[in-house]
Amino acid sequence: TDAEVSIRKKTFTEVQTERLEQAERTVLIKCPPKLNGEKLLRYLSSHGNINSHFFFENRVIKQIIYNIDIKLVFIFVNVYKLLSKRFLFISQLSNMSSEGQISSQMYILLNEYQLTEENIKLRFLACSLVQDFARAYFPDSTVKPFGSSVNTFGKLGCDVDMFLDFHDKRNHAAKMKKGPFEMEYQMKRLPSERLATQKILSVIGDCLDNFGAGYVNVQKILNARCPLVKFSHQPTGFQCDLSVSNSIAIKSSELLYIYGCLDSRVRALVFSVRCWARVHGLTNSVPGTWITNFSLTMMVMFFLQKRSPPIIPTLDQLKELADEKDKHVIGGCDCSFVSDLSKIKPTKNTETLDVLLGDFFEYFGNFDFRKNSINLRKGKEVNKPESSPLYIWNPFEQDLNISKNVNQPQLEKFVAMARESAWILQKEDKTQQLINKEPWGLAALLIPFGKSNPSKMKNRMKGIGSETIRSLLDSLKLNNATSLQKAVRK
C-alpha cells in the first residue's frame, strides 16, 4: 500500500519514535460484555472529533483502544479477532491458473502472514503499558520492542520482545526543556551490571505478577545469558519477553529492517522459507536443537548477498556508507552502518522469486557446512572457527555463533529437505498438476514430504501437524487478477 511504502522510506529510528509516541497517547479500555461498540463510539463522538477507531476482541474479553492526543480522542476500532485469526492461505494456490507464478504465491503468503498495521500498533501499546509500571521505579526508563515486532519480518502470532532502556536521548532532551533545573534519579550502586539487571527485572516481574491487570504466567528467568521476564498479556493476547538495555539486539533489528525495506523480494523469500521450515519441523516455537527463525532469516540474507549481482549489500558495505551519526560502538562491538535508506543504491538484480526460491534450496542443499561458515559482514563463506555443525557469525558480536544450538541431525535434516524441495521445483510439470488438481509451486513445498503418491493427497493433508498450515492448505481461493495485484503490491 502507499502508506506502507511511505513508512519504509523512513529510517528505523524515525518509525520507532513515531510509534512509541503514539503508544504513549493510547489507552486500552475493557468493554463490558453487553456494551455495543457502535453505541460507545457515538457517545465518545459527542465529546470530541474521532478520526479513526480500532475495536478488537479475543477469546476472553472485548476491548477498545483509544489514542488520546490532548483534547481529541482517536479510537482504533475494526473488528479483529487477534487470537482466533487463522492465516487463510494455500490449497487454492494450486487453483491459480497456469499463467500464475511461484512468485505470485510467495507474495500472497507474505500478505497473509505479515503483521497488520493494527497489530503493530497493539505491540507498541503492550510495551507502553509495561513502561507505566517500570517508570514507577525508574522514571527515566523507556520500554521498546525489538526483533520480529519491528524488523519487518514478524508474522501474526509472534511473541513481543521488549527491552527496558535507560539511555533514551529523547526522554533526556524533553526533561531538559522543562526549566533551568534538572532532576536526577539515583540508585544504589551494585557490584556488577548483570546483578543490577537481575534486580531490576525481579522488581518489575513481581510488580506485573502481583498488581498488573491482565498479566499472567509471569516467569523470572534471571540466570540466563540474557536475563529476562516472560509473561502473557491477556488483553492483547501477546506472549512477551522483557529484558534490559539490549542495545545490540536493537541494532540487529535495524539491520534487518533496512534489508526488508530495500527490495520487496527479500521479505517474500524469508516468509516462504520460514513457513516451509515450520511445516517440515525444521523450526519450533520452543528452544531446542533446531534452527531458529533468526538463523534462518540470516541464511536468506546471506544467500541474497551472494547473488550476481547482489540483491542486498553486506554489513561492511553498509558500514562504508555510514556518517558520523551512524557510528555506534556497543560493549566493544562495532555496530556502525548507514541508517538513511536513500544512500543505498538499488540492486540491478532482476531475478524472479521463482528462481530465487529454487536456487536457495539448491545452494544450501549443497553448501559445505563441514568446512564453511556464514558471514553477513563479509558476504562470503569463511572457514569455521570452531566445530559447530552450523556456524553463522553474529553480525556484531563476532565471537558469537547465533546457530550454536543446532546439532548435526537437525542440520542434516535441513539439508535433506532443501535438496528434496529443489528437486520438486525442478521436476514439476505445472500444467499436468493443474489437470490432476495437484499442488504445484510453493503449495507443493508446504505439504510434508514422504507420501508423494497423488492418490494419497488426503493422507498427506492429515499428516500436517500445524492447524494454521492445514487451514492455509484448505482455504485460499485467488482466481481474479485484482486480488493477486493487491497481494503482490503489499
Side-chain angles (χ1 to χ4, degrees), residues 167-400:
H167 312 290
D168 193 325
K169 295 178 182 177
R170 179 173 57 97
N171 275 357
H172 184 72
K175 181 174 63 177
M176 292 295 289
K177 293 177 183 177
K178 291 181 180 179
F181 303 103
E182 178 180 354
M183 184 170 289
E184 182 176 300
Y185 298 91
Q186 296 185 339
M187 294 187 294
K188 286 183 178 179
R189 186 178 297 277
L190 293 170
S192 70
E193 184 176 344
R194 179 176 174 82
L195 182 59
T197 294
Q198 291 172 325
K199 295 286 188 182
I200 290 167
L201 288 175
S202 181
V203 167
I204 296 177
D206 285 339
C207 188
L208 293 175
D209 196 16
N210 293 312
F211 307 111
Y215 295 94
V216 298
N217 302 323
V218 178
Q219 303 175 57
K220 297 186 292 183
I221 306 174
L222 305 180
N223 292 321
R225 177 179 172 272
C226 180
L228 74 155
V229 175
K230 298 178 72 73
F231 57 89
S232 299
H233 186 228
Q234 285 184 324
T236 58
F238 292 137
Q239 301 293 320
C240 306
D241 291 350
L242 174 68
S243 55
V244 172
S245 297
N246 205 336
S247 301
I248 289 183
I250 204 74
K251 294 304 290 184
S252 295
S253 302
E254 183 177 1
L255 177 64
L256 286 178
Y257 169 87
I258 290 172
Y259 284 149
C261 292
L262 288 178
D263 193 291
S264 62
R265 292 170 293 178
V266 177
R267 295 174 67 240
L269 184 59
V270 168
F271 273 71
S272 294
V273 170
R274 283 176 23 175
C275 185
W276 164 84
R278 188 61 184 269
V279 167
H280 298 291
L282 299 172
T283 57
N284 201 299
S285 58
V286 297
T289 58
W290 31 75
I291 299 173
T292 64
N293 276 327
F294 181 62
S295 293
L296 201 59
T297 301
M298 289 301 190
M299 293 173 77
V300 175
M301 298 301 127
F302 181 75
F303 166 76
L304 294 175
Q305 291 175 341
K306 295 283 294 179
R307 304 308 290 172
S308 182
I311 293 177
I312 58 174
T314 67
L315 182 52
D316 279 350
Q317 290 169 337
L318 293 178
K319 180 182 175 181
E320 291 174 3
L321 297 173
D323 57 26
E324 195 60 35
K325 75 176 188 313
D326 294 323
K327 293 181 179 179
H328 299 279
V329 177
I330 302 171
C333 301
D334 190 351
C335 301
S336 305
F337 56 88
V338 65
S339 59
D340 186 349
L341 276 70
S342 65
K343 293 182 179 180
I344 306 171
K345 292 182 179 179
T347 179
K348 295 181 179 179
N349 184 299
T350 59
E351 293 175 297
T352 65
L353 278 169
D354 305 52
V355 171
L356 293 175
L357 184 64
D359 284 2
F360 172 85
F361 293 128
E362 185 171 351
Y363 177 75
F364 281 111
N366 295 283
F367 190 88
D368 188 356
F369 289 105
R370 292 172 299 179
K371 176 184 176 183
N372 293 329
S373 62
I374 294 168
N375 191 320
L376 274 78
R377 185 170 282 277
K378 304 294 182 185
K380 62 181 181 181
E381 306 97 335
V382 295
N383 289 335
K384 287 200 295 187
E386 61 177 53
S387 60
S388 297
L390 175 61
Y391 198 104
I392 304 175
W393 296 72
N394 186 302
F396 305 113
E397 298 175 278
Q398 285 283 279
D399 58 338
L400 294 181

